[in-house]
Amino acid sequence: MTDAMDTRLPRFVLDDPEFLRDPYPVYRELRARGPLCRGGPAQWVVTRHAEVSALLRDRRLGREFPEEFQNISVGPGPAVDFLRRIVIDRDPQEHTRLRRLLTRALTPATVRSLAAPMAAMVDGLLDEAVERGTFDAVTDLAQPLPVLVMSTLLGIPPQDRADVMERSIDVAKAFAVFIPEQERAAAHDAVVWLRAYFRTLLRRRRAAPGNDLLTTLATVRDGDWSLSEEEAVDNALFLYYAGFETTTNLIATGCAALLHHPGEQRRLRADRSLLPTALEEFLRWDAPIHTTTRLTLEPVEVGGRTLRRGRVVVLLLASANHDERQFADPGGLDVGRRPNAHLSFGGGVHHCLGAMLARVEATAVFDRLLDRFTALDPAGEEDWRPSGGGFRFPYCAYRSLPVQIR
């Protein structure tokens, strides 16, 4: 049966405030009805782990959306050009070239070298909390730490960091499947401002190289491959945004996981060797990125239905991470869960470029929290904010998460 013939599948809708606050009951209901549901026009949504995992690795699906599609979803302007140049939205062979060059810049050795400085950054952010007896896991930790890390990596001067972060939040809108008309100008304006900023910084590095990622992006080569100035600028912008937005969500949801599951928090404190599996469980329990999208490059069968070429496929990573067919007690938290085949970093050729950085950063956070405090308890009402159409879309990210420390 082709997509044009089907009218009986459930529809995935985003206009329910309760869904935005807690989408997991809706995900569960959709999974129970099958692996596939309908989205918007010419759009399909995949809910179950086996199908999402397979499609992440299926070369019949790509990330390069036609310009006309992006003009409809984002609106004509600089953000469309930006999306068509960054590594996440390119298909082989251009994706292969960009990813290899960016990997040369963001090496495992570079990431590992940040472990000790990250721990010092966490301590610096937590020092005031010790005096107060409380801290906000979002505003005092999850937001400022990734900004510090990415600013250090890229060599962004301290006096510029607040402006760069503020503009980067507006860039989040460009990654939505569809941006409301009233929000499009902010996304385009942010791209223009950030491109000008990173271009200026990049040219300074070419004139006076530093020990940072931006200097490497300006000079990196792999055989005959190199980055044009436009590619270096746009991918530096993308790495900065992706490096703080997703890690902010990981740290916040990891803290929420420990606050909501005091028994698992005590278990982790009693056996610190569980920290690596605990981090993977935080990623599974509430994914930093709930969805990713693909475009069918040729017909693909999903759940007994054939999706025609040129269809948008929304892969619900967070739903797949709670699939009862893959995980025992998926709604519960198990800091020692093994195996844990979560899909929070995607898969296939587009597996998250910054996965190692996110893990090292989260390790520094939770290692220091467990070292410095004997208990973390809720200290007030949690607050959420709409994702603005960014990577967290369609879920809400934490705006505030008060924590009592002992």
Side-chain angles (χ1 to χ4, degrees):
M1 181 181 295
T2 66
D3 55 1
M5 298 169 61
D6 182 77
T7 59
R8 297 171 297 171
L9 288 176
R11 185 170 293 277
F12 181 62
V13 295
L14 303 173
D15 57 359
D16 183 349
E18 286 304 310
F19 167 73
L20 290 175
R21 182 181 176 96
D22 182 6
Y24 289 100
V26 175
Y27 291 159
R28 183 170 59 248
E29 180 181 346
L30 292 174
R31 287 195 307 273
R33 298 183 65 179
L36 190 68
C37 57
R38 301 187 64 133
Q43 183 183 104
W44 295 91
V45 182
V46 187
T47 63
R48 292 180 180 175
H49 187 280
E51 287 78 7
V52 171
S53 180
L55 291 171
L56 284 169
R57 295 162 175 80
D58 195 323
R59 293 297 187 96
R60 293 174 298 173
L61 280 76
R63 282 285 309 191
E64 286 189 22
F65 292 88
E67 186 172 354
E68 56 268 28
F69 169 82
Q70 290 173 329
N71 284 336
I72 292 171
S73 63
V74 181
V80 172
D81 182 54
F82 164 72
L83 290 171
R84 294 174 63 80
R85 195 174 283 152
I86 58 177
V87 63
I88 193 176
D89 281 337
R90 303 306 301 272
D91 289 335
Q93 295 296 318
E94 276 300 283
H95 173 269
T96 304
R97 179 181 69 87
L98 289 172
R99 188 179 179 100
R100 189 173 298 174
L101 290 166
L102 294 176
T103 301
R104 288 263 178 129
L106 192 63
T107 65
T110 297
V111 173
R112 284 193 296 267
S113 72
L114 287 170
M118 283 180 190
M121 291 176 193
V122 174
D123 279 335
L125 293 170
L126 292 176
D127 283 343
E128 289 187 15
V130 174
E131 297 181 9
R132 294 194 307 266
T134 63
F135 72 95
D136 191 296
V138 179
T139 59
D140 293 332
L141 182 60
Q143 285 179 344
L145 178 66
V147 171
L148 283 172
V149 171
M150 293 310 300
S151 295
T152 300
L153 263 175
L154 286 162
I156 297 173
Q159 66 271 19
D160 296 342
R161 292 172 183 177
D163 286 340
V164 174
M165 182 184 73
E166 183 178 350
R167 297 284 185 162
S168 296
I169 291 171
D170 283 332
V171 168
K173 298 176 174 66
F175 292 94
V177 175
F178 180 81
I179 305 177
E181 291 283 348
Q182 66 272 20
E183 297 182 15
R184 294 182 175 187
H188 292 300
D189 290 347
V191 168
V192 171
W193 191 94
L194 287 164
R195 275 178 161 174
Y197 178 82
F198 278 107
R199 185 177 295 110
T200 299
L201 212 57
L202 185 79
R203 289 175 179 175
R204 289 177 186 167
R205 294 298 187 277
R206 283 182 171 151
N211 185 26
D212 54 56
L213 185 60
L214 201 58
T215 296
T216 305
L217 292 176
T219 58
V220 66
R221 298 192 67 85
D222 187 328
D224 293 333
W225 288 346
S226 62
L227 295 173
S228 69
E229 180 174 276
E230 292 79 7
E231 289 172 336
V233 165
D234 281 357
N235 282 283
L237 193 169
F238 168 69
L239 288 175
Y240 174 84
Y241 163 70
F244 87 77
E245 174 73 5
T246 54
T247 309
T248 290
N249 291 332
L250 168 57
I251 294 169
T253 56
C255 288
L258 294 180
L259 295 178
H260 296 166
H261 300 85
E264 289 301 286
Q265 183 183 155
R266 290 191 294 271
R267 180 185 174 196
L268 179 58
R269 290 182 179 281
D271 184 359
R272 292 285 290 278
S273 70
L274 293 175
L275 184 55
T277 55
L279 294 181
E280 300 307 309
E281 181 69 341
F282 299 159
L283 286 160
R284 183 204 68 83
W285 183 72
D286 193 5
I289 304 170
H290 272 220
T291 71
T292 187
T293 55
R294 297 290 189 270
L295 185 74
T296 54
L297 305 178
E298 56 185 275
V300 178
E301 184 176 310
V302 182
R305 291 171 169 80
T306 300
L307 313 188
R308 292 186 295 182
R309 183 179 181 275
R311 296 302 188 253
V312 176
V313 181
V314 180
L315 304 177
L316 293 182
L317 305 176
S319 175
N321 285 348
H322 280 238
D323 192 341
E324 302 82 353
R325 297 154 194 80
Q326 178 70 30
F327 303 99
D329 186 23
L333 188 79
D334 177 0
V335 295
R337 188 184 294 271
R338 287 182 185 273
N340 189 345
H342 69 77
L343 301 176
S344 294
F345 287 131
V349 297
H350 288 284
H351 182 267
C352 178
L353 186 64
M356 182 179 178
L357 179 62
R359 287 184 170 109
V360 170
E361 200 165 338
T363 297
V365 167
F366 292 101
D367 197 50
R368 298 308 300 141
L369 285 173
L370 294 171
D371 271 351
R372 295 190 64 166
F373 309 123
T374 59
L376 304 173
D377 300 307
E381 188 173 353
E382 300 169 357
D383 189 20
W384 289 264
R385 63 174 170 86
S387 68
F391 281 159
R392 185 75 172 168
F393 181 83
Y395 192 32
C396 290
Y398 286 100
R399 176 160 38 199
S400 178
L401 188 64
V403 180
Q404 180 79 39
I405 55 177
R406 289 187 272 143

mmCIF file of all heavy atoms in Angstrom, residues 76-104:
data_model
loop_
_atom_site.group_PDB
_atom_site.id
_atom_site.type_symbol
_atom_site.label_atom_id
_atom_site.label_comp_id
_atom_site.label_asym_id
_atom_site.label_seq_id
_atom_site.Cartn_x
_atom_site.Cartn_y
_atom_site.Cartn_z
ATOM 1 N N PRO A 76 12.545 31.877 2.766
ATOM 2 C CA PRO A 76 13.746 32.268 2.019
ATOM 3 C C PRO A 76 14.614 33.217 2.836
ATOM 4 O O PRO A 76 14.106 34.100 3.529
ATOM 5 C CB PRO A 76 13.177 32.965 0.774
ATOM 6 C CG PRO A 76 11.766 32.482 0.664
ATOM 7 C CD PRO A 76 11.299 32.245 2.064
ATOM 8 N N GLY A 77 15.917 33.010 2.749
ATOM 9 C CA GLY A 77 16.829 33.877 3.479
ATOM 10 C C GLY A 77 18.124 33.175 3.835
ATOM 11 O O GLY A 77 18.355 32.019 3.440
ATOM 12 N N PRO A 78 18.995 33.819 4.602
ATOM 13 C CA PRO A 78 20.326 33.283 4.917
ATOM 14 C C PRO A 78 20.307 31.939 5.639
ATOM 15 O O PRO A 78 21.236 31.139 5.478
ATOM 16 C CB PRO A 78 20.936 34.372 5.806
ATOM 17 C CG PRO A 78 20.195 35.614 5.466
ATOM 18 C CD PRO A 78 18.807 35.183 5.124
ATOM 19 N N ALA A 79 19.275 31.668 6.437
ATOM 20 C CA ALA A 79 19.237 30.401 7.174
ATOM 21 C C ALA A 79 19.163 29.212 6.230
ATOM 22 O O ALA A 79 19.683 28.133 6.534
ATOM 23 C CB ALA A 79 18.061 30.383 8.150
ATOM 24 N N VAL A 80 18.520 29.383 5.070
ATOM 25 C CA VAL A 80 18.440 28.287 4.097
ATOM 26 C C VAL A 80 19.829 27.966 3.555
ATOM 27 O O VAL A 80 20.241 26.799 3.483
ATOM 28 C CB VAL A 80 17.476 28.658 2.951
ATOM 29 C CG1 VAL A 80 17.543 27.615 1.834
ATOM 30 C CG2 VAL A 80 16.055 28.777 3.479
ATOM 31 N N ASP A 81 20.576 28.994 3.190
ATOM 32 C CA ASP A 81 21.939 28.798 2.696
ATOM 33 C C ASP A 81 22.823 28.159 3.774
ATOM 34 O O ASP A 81 23.631 27.275 3.493
ATOM 35 C CB ASP A 81 22.515 30.144 2.262
ATOM 36 C CG ASP A 81 23.915 30.020 1.699
ATOM 37 O OD1 ASP A 81 24.110 29.220 0.766
ATOM 38 O OD2 ASP A 81 24.822 30.709 2.206
ATOM 39 N N PHE A 82 22.652 28.591 5.012
ATOM 40 C CA PHE A 82 23.392 28.019 6.134
ATOM 41 C C PHE A 82 23.107 26.523 6.275
ATOM 42 O O PHE A 82 24.026 25.699 6.395
ATOM 43 C CB PHE A 82 23.012 28.765 7.412
ATOM 44 C CG PHE A 82 23.389 28.076 8.693
ATOM 45 C CD1 PHE A 82 24.715 28.000 9.092
ATOM 46 C CD2 PHE A 82 22.417 27.511 9.505
ATOM 47 C CE1 PHE A 82 25.071 27.361 10.285
ATOM 48 C CE2 PHE A 82 22.749 26.878 10.697
ATOM 49 C CZ PHE A 82 24.083 26.801 11.085
ATOM 50 N N LEU A 83 21.835 26.139 6.226
ATOM 51 C CA LEU A 83 21.461 24.735 6.379
ATOM 52 C C LEU A 83 22.018 23.879 5.247
ATOM 53 O O LEU A 83 22.308 22.698 5.446
ATOM 54 C CB LEU A 83 19.939 24.599 6.441
ATOM 55 C CG LEU A 83 19.264 25.140 7.706
ATOM 56 C CD1 LEU A 83 17.751 25.140 7.540
ATOM 57 C CD2 LEU A 83 19.664 24.338 8.935
ATOM 58 N N ARG A 84 22.189 24.449 4.087
ATOM 59 C CA ARG A 84 22.673 23.678 2.944
ATOM 60 C C ARG A 84 24.191 23.557 2.906
ATOM 61 O O ARG A 84 24.745 22.935 2.004
ATOM 62 C CB ARG A 84 22.159 24.305 1.645
ATOM 63 C CG ARG A 84 20.641 24.205 1.498
ATOM 64 C CD ARG A 84 20.124 24.941 0.285
ATOM 65 N NE ARG A 84 20.637 24.369 -0.953
ATOM 66 C CZ ARG A 84 20.143 23.283 -1.522
ATOM 67 N NH1 ARG A 84 19.134 22.644 -0.974
ATOM 68 N NH2 ARG A 84 20.640 22.832 -2.651
ATOM 69 N N ARG A 85 24.875 24.153 3.910
ATOM 70 C CA ARG A 85 26.334 24.116 3.923
ATOM 71 C C ARG A 85 26.914 23.343 5.106
ATOM 72 O O ARG A 85 28.079 22.969 5.085
ATOM 73 C CB ARG A 85 26.867 25.558 3.923
ATOM 74 C CG ARG A 85 28.340 25.663 3.586
ATOM 75 C CD ARG A 85 28.755 27.114 3.474
ATOM 76 N NE ARG A 85 28.328 27.693 2.201
ATOM 77 C CZ ARG A 85 28.050 28.973 2.002
ATOM 78 N NH1 ARG A 85 28.117 29.824 3.004
ATOM 79 N NH2 ARG A 85 27.678 29.399 0.824
ATOM 80 N N ILE A 86 26.118 23.096 6.142
ATOM 81 C CA ILE A 86 26.663 22.455 7.341
ATOM 82 C C ILE A 86 26.658 20.938 7.194
ATOM 83 O O ILE A 86 25.853 20.362 6.472
ATOM 84 C CB ILE A 86 25.890 22.876 8.608
ATOM 85 C CG1 ILE A 86 24.409 22.536 8.489
ATOM 86 C CG2 ILE A 86 26.086 24.372 8.853
ATOM 87 C CD1 ILE A 86 23.609 22.855 9.742
ATOM 88 N N VAL A 87 27.559 20.300 7.934
ATOM 89 C CA VAL A 87 27.808 18.871 7.779
ATOM 90 C C VAL A 87 26.570 18.033 8.043
ATOM 91 O O VAL A 87 26.328 17.030 7.367
ATOM 92 C CB VAL A 87 28.979 18.430 8.690
ATOM 93 C CG1 VAL A 87 28.655 18.640 10.168
ATOM 94 C CG2 VAL A 87 29.370 16.980 8.423
ATOM 95 N N ILE A 88 25.742 18.419 9.018
ATOM 96 C CA ILE A 88 24.594 17.598 9.389
ATOM 97 C C ILE A 88 23.575 17.485 8.271
ATOM 98 O O ILE A 88 22.813 16.515 8.193
ATOM 99 C CB ILE A 88 23.928 18.155 10.679
ATOM 100 C CG1 ILE A 88 22.936 17.136 11.250
ATOM 101 C CG2 ILE A 88 23.252 19.489 10.405
ATOM 102 C CD1 ILE A 88 22.321 17.557 12.556
ATOM 103 N N ASP A 89 23.548 18.457 7.362
ATOM 104 C CA ASP A 89 22.542 18.476 6.305
ATOM 105 C C ASP A 89 23.124 18.199 4.925
ATOM 106 O O ASP A 89 22.552 18.598 3.908
ATOM 107 C CB ASP A 89 21.810 19.828 6.288
ATOM 108 C CG ASP A 89 20.759 19.914 7.383
ATOM 109 O OD1 ASP A 89 20.302 18.859 7.849
ATOM 110 O OD2 ASP A 89 20.414 21.033 7.792
ATOM 111 N N ARG A 90 24.247 17.502 4.887
ATOM 112 C CA ARG A 90 24.833 17.099 3.609
ATOM 113 C C ARG A 90 24.851 15.583 3.514
ATOM 114 O O ARG A 90 24.986 14.878 4.510
ATOM 115 C CB ARG A 90 26.254 17.652 3.445
ATOM 116 C CG ARG A 90 26.377 19.149 3.546
ATOM 117 C CD ARG A 90 25.455 19.888 2.584
ATOM 118 N NE ARG A 90 25.673 19.553 1.183
ATOM 119 C CZ ARG A 90 26.545 20.172 0.399
ATOM 120 N NH1 ARG A 90 27.296 21.157 0.870
ATOM 121 N NH2 ARG A 90 26.664 19.820 -0.862
ATOM 122 N N ASP A 91 24.754 15.081 2.316
ATOM 123 C CA ASP A 91 24.834 13.645 2.051
ATOM 124 C C ASP A 91 26.184 13.326 1.419
ATOM 125 O O ASP A 91 26.871 14.224 0.909
ATOM 126 C CB ASP A 91 23.704 13.229 1.099
ATOM 127 C CG ASP A 91 22.336 13.271 1.768
ATOM 128 O OD1 ASP A 91 22.281 13.151 3.007
ATOM 129 O OD2 ASP A 91 21.327 13.429 1.051
ATOM 130 N N PRO A 92 26.598 12.043 1.473
ATOM 131 C CA PRO A 92 27.840 11.669 0.774
ATOM 132 C C PRO A 92 27.730 12.103 -0.690
ATOM 133 O O PRO A 92 26.647 12.057 -1.267
ATOM 134 C CB PRO A 92 27.871 10.149 0.908
ATOM 135 C CG PRO A 92 27.030 9.862 2.136
ATOM 136 C CD PRO A 92 25.953 10.906 2.134
ATOM 137 N N GLN A 93 28.797 12.555 -1.263
ATOM 138 C CA GLN A 93 30.182 12.610 -0.827
ATOM 139 C C GLN A 93 30.536 13.901 -0.069
ATOM 140 O O GLN A 93 31.541 13.936 0.642
ATOM 141 C CB GLN A 93 31.097 12.493 -2.055
ATOM 142 C CG GLN A 93 31.009 11.153 -2.780
ATOM 143 C CD GLN A 93 31.487 10.012 -1.903
ATOM 144 O OE1 GLN A 93 32.476 10.108 -1.206
ATOM 145 N NE2 GLN A 93 30.748 8.933 -1.948
ATOM 146 N N GLU A 94 29.761 14.923 -0.205
ATOM 147 C CA GLU A 94 30.074 16.160 0.497
ATOM 148 C C GLU A 94 30.074 15.972 2.010
ATOM 149 O O GLU A 94 30.917 16.529 2.707
ATOM 150 C CB GLU A 94 29.087 17.264 0.105
ATOM 151 C CG GLU A 94 29.447 17.984 -1.174
ATOM 152 C CD GLU A 94 30.811 18.646 -1.069
ATOM 153 O OE1 GLU A 94 30.913 19.705 -0.425
ATOM 154 O OE2 GLU A 94 31.780 18.103 -1.633
ATOM 155 N N HIS A 95 29.136 15.174 2.512
ATOM 156 C CA HIS A 95 29.125 14.896 3.949
ATOM 157 C C HIS A 95 30.406 14.205 4.365
ATOM 158 O O HIS A 95 30.997 14.519 5.411
ATOM 159 C CB HIS A 95 27.916 14.031 4.313
ATOM 160 C CG HIS A 95 27.928 13.568 5.736
ATOM 161 N ND1 HIS A 95 28.500 12.370 6.123
ATOM 162 C CD2 HIS A 95 27.472 14.149 6.871
ATOM 163 C CE1 HIS A 95 28.369 12.237 7.432
ATOM 164 N NE2 HIS A 95 27.763 13.292 7.908
ATOM 165 N N THR A 96 30.870 13.239 3.571
ATOM 166 C CA THR A 96 32.100 12.513 3.882
ATOM 167 C C THR A 96 33.274 13.471 3.988
ATOM 168 O O THR A 96 34.085 13.395 4.924
ATOM 169 C CB THR A 96 32.374 11.455 2.799
ATOM 170 O OG1 THR A 96 31.232 10.591 2.692
ATOM 171 C CG2 THR A 96 33.614 10.641 3.144
ATOM 172 N N ARG A 97 33.373 14.387 3.034
ATOM 173 C CA ARG A 97 34.469 15.353 3.035
ATOM 174 C C ARG A 97 34.397 16.266 4.260
ATOM 175 O O ARG A 97 35.389 16.430 4.988
ATOM 176 C CB ARG A 97 34.420 16.192 1.750
ATOM 177 C CG ARG A 97 35.527 17.251 1.660
ATOM 178 C CD ARG A 97 35.404 18.053 0.369
ATOM 179 N NE ARG A 97 34.227 18.907 0.370
ATOM 180 C CZ ARG A 97 34.204 20.145 0.886
ATOM 181 N NH1 ARG A 97 35.295 20.653 1.457
ATOM 182 N NH2 ARG A 97 33.106 20.858 0.841
ATOM 183 N N LEU A 98 33.235 16.843 4.505
ATOM 184 C CA LEU A 98 33.108 17.766 5.635
ATOM 185 C C LEU A 98 33.329 17.061 6.960
ATOM 186 O O LEU A 98 34.028 17.580 7.841
ATOM 187 C CB LEU A 98 31.727 18.425 5.608
ATOM 188 C CG LEU A 98 31.465 19.447 4.511
ATOM 189 C CD1 LEU A 98 30.003 19.855 4.498
ATOM 190 C CD2 LEU A 98 32.365 20.671 4.675
ATOM 191 N N ARG A 99 32.752 15.891 7.118
ATOM 192 C CA ARG A 99 32.891 15.186 8.390
ATOM 193 C C ARG A 99 34.342 14.791 8.651
ATOM 194 O O ARG A 99 34.834 14.895 9.770
ATOM 195 C CB ARG A 99 31.983 13.960 8.423
ATOM 196 C CG ARG A 99 31.943 13.302 9.817
ATOM 197 C CD ARG A 99 31.016 12.104 9.845
ATOM 198 N NE ARG A 99 31.025 11.507 11.169
ATOM 199 C CZ ARG A 99 30.094 11.709 12.094
ATOM 200 N NH1 ARG A 99 29.076 12.510 11.844
ATOM 201 N NH2 ARG A 99 30.172 11.125 13.268
ATOM 202 N N ARG A 100 35.028 14.347 7.606
ATOM 203 C CA ARG A 100 36.427 13.958 7.806
ATOM 204 C C ARG A 100 37.273 15.161 8.210
ATOM 205 O O ARG A 100 38.137 15.068 9.088
ATOM 206 C CB ARG A 100 36.983 13.316 6.527
ATOM 207 C CG ARG A 100 38.353 12.681 6.722
ATOM 208 C CD ARG A 100 38.788 11.912 5.483
ATOM 209 N NE ARG A 100 37.877 10.812 5.202
ATOM 210 C CZ ARG A 100 37.952 10.049 4.108
ATOM 211 N NH1 ARG A 100 38.882 10.300 3.198
ATOM 212 N NH2 ARG A 100 37.099 9.063 3.928
ATOM 213 N N LEU A 101 37.029 16.299 7.600
ATOM 214 C CA LEU A 101 37.790 17.500 7.944
ATOM 215 C C LEU A 101 37.454 17.988 9.352
ATOM 216 O O LEU A 101 38.344 18.370 10.120
ATOM 217 C CB LEU A 101 37.522 18.605 6.921
ATOM 218 C CG LEU A 101 38.117 18.368 5.527
ATOM 219 C CD1 LEU A 101 37.513 19.323 4.519
ATOM 220 C CD2 LEU A 101 39.640 18.499 5.550
ATOM 221 N N LEU A 102 36.169 17.967 9.725
ATOM 222 C CA LEU A 102 35.782 18.400 11.061
ATOM 223 C C LEU A 102 36.301 17.436 12.121
ATOM 224 O O LEU A 102 36.677 17.854 13.217
ATOM 225 C CB LEU A 102 34.261 18.522 11.150
ATOM 226 C CG LEU A 102 33.633 19.618 10.289
ATOM 227 C CD1 LEU A 102 32.111 19.567 10.389
ATOM 228 C CD2 LEU A 102 34.138 20.995 10.681
ATOM 229 N N THR A 103 36.335 16.146 11.792
ATOM 230 C CA THR A 103 36.872 15.162 12.731
ATOM 231 C C THR A 103 38.367 15.388 12.949
ATOM 232 O O THR A 103 38.883 15.165 14.045
ATOM 233 C CB THR A 103 36.610 13.740 12.211
ATOM 234 O OG1 THR A 103 35.200 13.555 12.053
ATOM 235 C CG2 THR A 103 37.130 12.694 13.185
ATOM 236 N N ARG A 104 39.056 15.833 11.905
ATOM 237 C CA ARG A 104 40.479 16.164 12.061
ATOM 238 C C ARG A 104 40.668 17.324 13.041
ATOM 239 O O ARG A 104 41.699 17.438 13.701
ATOM 240 C CB ARG A 104 41.067 16.562 10.700
ATOM 241 C CG ARG A 104 41.253 15.403 9.739
ATOM 242 C CD ARG A 104 42.679 14.895 9.793
ATOM 243 N NE ARG A 104 42.887 13.756 8.937
ATOM 244 C CZ ARG A 104 43.877 13.672 8.041
ATOM 245 N NH1 ARG A 104 44.706 14.697 7.899
ATOM 246 N NH2 ARG A 104 44.036 12.588 7.333
#
